[in-house]
């Protein structure tokens, strides 16, 4: 397979590794981008690449709560100017409230009647596109609820109540004091915003992700020349460290910088007056996982002026 300059640049942007190493990694993996990242990592040349670190999309994340239920939605736009548009903000706020009854189904949400309009949410967005002049997209939604306890929400980089660039929901089951439970939920939501855990505990992790991580660590250890027995112990130790980094209950609580989150929840039971179980969390960061098309600004200007960007001759 031909390794293009664009492929090398994409791998370099996602890993921070030099171009020659990126080119070699792609050659060794026949152009498979994900395998190339793993190839670099096994040689200690790159950390785990996260798409969210290198992609961006604009718009707003909205949250809404009602009793023991809360919803989160993401509505995208082309530029961040739209996020400051009052009409767009009103739309996302209303959509977040409607999402409480959409059961996490984005198609169902799009078909729901938009308040005071006589048409659906999707149709409202279509009208807004015509008025504001930018493409918009109702991308995703989730709903979290508890039978007894609280669902706490937190919005990071808020532009107004319930709207911002990141929304977090935390579900805590407990029969204890609701005010104390809400205070804990807010702290946990802020922690999740800061650390971006992949799951509550190792059992909830995608086993394909776990297997891939273990395979990468094993390759790294093998290259150190250790015996099979020692290598296996080293892999187990590094996997424990990995779980501490990516699973919520094992992370160090950012609120005090010392206590594990699982221990902090257990300690909070004294103030709450009853056992506490963290049953679920959701973290929406605006634009994560969306590839933005890179454009050549100079070429765009030249095209608008009716000239070629390379030699300034009139475009034919």
């Amino acid at each position: 397979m031909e390794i293009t300059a664009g492929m090398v640049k994409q791998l370099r942007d996602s890993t921070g590794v030099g171009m020659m190493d990126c080119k070699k990694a792609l050659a060794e993996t026949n152009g498979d981008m994900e395998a190339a990242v793993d190839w670099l990592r096994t040689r200690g040349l790159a950390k785990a690449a996260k798409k969210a670190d290198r992609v961006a999309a604009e718009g707003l994340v909205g949250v809404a709560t009602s009793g023991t239920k809360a919803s989160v939605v993401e509505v995208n736009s082309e530029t961040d100017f739209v996020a400051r548009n009052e009409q767009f903000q009103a739309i996302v706020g209303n959509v977040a409230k409607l999402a409480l009854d959409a059961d996490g189904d984005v198609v169902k949400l799009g078909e729901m009647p938009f308040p005071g309009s006589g048409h659906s949410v999707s149709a409202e967005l279509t009208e807004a596109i015509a008025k504001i002049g930018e493409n918009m997209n109702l991308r995703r939604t989730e709903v979290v609820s508890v039978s007894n306890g609280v669902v706490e929400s937190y919005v990071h980089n808020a532009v107004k109540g319930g709207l911002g660039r990141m929304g977090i929901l935390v579900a805590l089951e407990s029969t204890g004091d609701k005010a104390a439970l809400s205070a804990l939920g807010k702290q946990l939501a802020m922690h999740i915003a800061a650390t971006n855990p992949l799951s509550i505990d190792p059992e909830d992790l995608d086993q394909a992700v776990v297997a891939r991580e273990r395979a990468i660590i094993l390759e790294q250890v093998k290259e150190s020349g250790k015996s099979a027995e020692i290598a296996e112990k080293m892999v187990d130790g590094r996997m424990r460290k990995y779980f501490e980094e990516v699973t919520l209950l094992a992370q160090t609580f950012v609120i005090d910088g010392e206590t594990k989150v699982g221990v902090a929840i257990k300690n909070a039971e004294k103030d709450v007056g009853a056992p506490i179980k963290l049953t679920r969390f959701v973290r929406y960061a605006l634009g994560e996982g969306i590839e933005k098309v890179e454009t050549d600004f100079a070429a765009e200007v030249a095209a608008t002026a009716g000239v070629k960007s390379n030699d300034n001759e009139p475009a034919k």
Side-chain angles (χ1 to χ4, degrees):
M1 178 178 180
E2 181 185 0
I3 307 303
T4 66
M7 293 167 65
V8 175
K9 181 180 185 300
Q10 181 182 344
L11 184 59
R12 183 187 183 187
D13 289 345
S14 66
T15 63
V17 177
M19 295 192 72
M20 294 305 296
D21 285 323
C22 286
K23 185 175 181 180
K24 184 176 181 181
L26 287 165
E28 290 288 335
T29 57
N30 198 31
D32 186 318
M33 196 64 63
E34 186 171 85
V37 173
D38 289 351
W39 189 92
L40 290 168
R41 290 185 62 205
T42 59
R43 287 152 182 79
L45 296 173
K47 298 291 185 181
K50 298 178 181 178
K51 278 190 174 182
D53 293 336
R54 68 179 194 270
V55 299
E58 303 306 329
L60 286 171
V61 172
V63 302
T65 58
S66 177
T68 55
K69 180 190 289 188
S71 64
V72 59
V73 300
E74 179 179 355
V75 183
N76 297 123
S77 61
E78 292 181 53
T79 70
D80 60 352
F81 294 107
V82 172
R84 298 192 289 270
N85 180 287
E86 291 186 1
Q87 180 187 356
F88 182 73
Q89 291 175 359
I91 290 173
V92 179
N94 277 307
V95 170
K97 293 174 184 176
L98 290 171
L100 288 165
D101 297 317
D103 305 318
D105 186 333
V106 72
V107 174
K108 179 180 178 180
L109 179 56
E111 294 172 348
M112 293 175 73
F114 191 84
S117 68
H119 54 235
S120 68
V121 169
S122 295
E124 181 69 16
L125 282 173
T126 300
E127 286 198 0
I129 291 170
K131 293 178 182 177
I132 297 175
E134 277 198 20
N135 189 29
M136 300 173 197
N137 174 50
L138 174 58
R139 184 186 179 203
R140 53 180 175 163
T141 181
E142 288 192 55
V143 174
V144 174
S145 63
V146 294
S147 57
N148 198 347
V150 301
V151 178
E152 192 60 50
S153 65
Y154 168 68
V155 175
H156 189 63
N157 292 136
V159 296
K160 63 187 306 183
L163 301 173
R165 295 186 66 83
M166 184 186 295
I168 294 91
L169 305 179
V170 177
L172 297 173
E173 291 274 4
S174 178
T175 59
D177 181 74
K178 296 300 186 287
L181 202 59
S182 290
L184 173 64
K186 182 70 74 175
Q187 289 183 331
L188 290 170
M190 295 173 71
H191 170 95
I192 292 165
T195 63
N196 192 19
L198 299 181
S199 70
I200 292 177
D201 52 38
E203 289 71 27
D204 291 333
L205 271 174
D206 183 339
Q207 292 307 299
V209 173
V210 174
R212 178 185 174 193
E213 191 67 25
R214 188 176 186 86
I216 290 171
I217 293 173
L218 181 59
E219 286 299 316
Q220 291 174 334
V221 171
K222 281 182 178 179
E223 292 192 2
S224 68
K226 304 292 184 182
S227 67
E229 183 179 353
I230 294 177
E232 193 64 29
K233 290 181 179 179
M234 290 176 66
V235 170
D236 289 341
R238 292 189 187 181
M239 284 302 295
R240 284 194 295 272
K241 180 66 175 176
Y242 171 73
F243 291 140
E244 289 177 2
E245 292 174 351
V246 303
T247 60
L248 177 57
L249 296 182
Q251 289 180 334
T252 300
F253 201 19
V254 297
I255 302 301
D256 63 18
E258 298 177 359
T259 313
K260 297 296 183 182
V261 170
V263 175
I265 293 174
K266 188 67 177 177
N267 293 341
E269 292 179 351
K270 181 178 180 180
D271 293 330
V272 171
I276 304 169
K277 183 177 181 180
L278 192 157
T279 58
R280 192 179 173 202
F281 73 86
V282 176
R283 180 185 187 272
Y284 273 15
L286 182 66
E288 59 189 352
I290 300 177
E291 297 283 1
K292 286 193 76 175
V293 178
E294 293 186 10
T295 58
D296 186 335
F297 184 68
E300 288 183 7
V301 172
T304 302
V307 298
K308 294 181 179 179
S309 59
N310 58 345
D311 57 9
N312 287 339
E313 291 181 1
K316 296 180 181 179

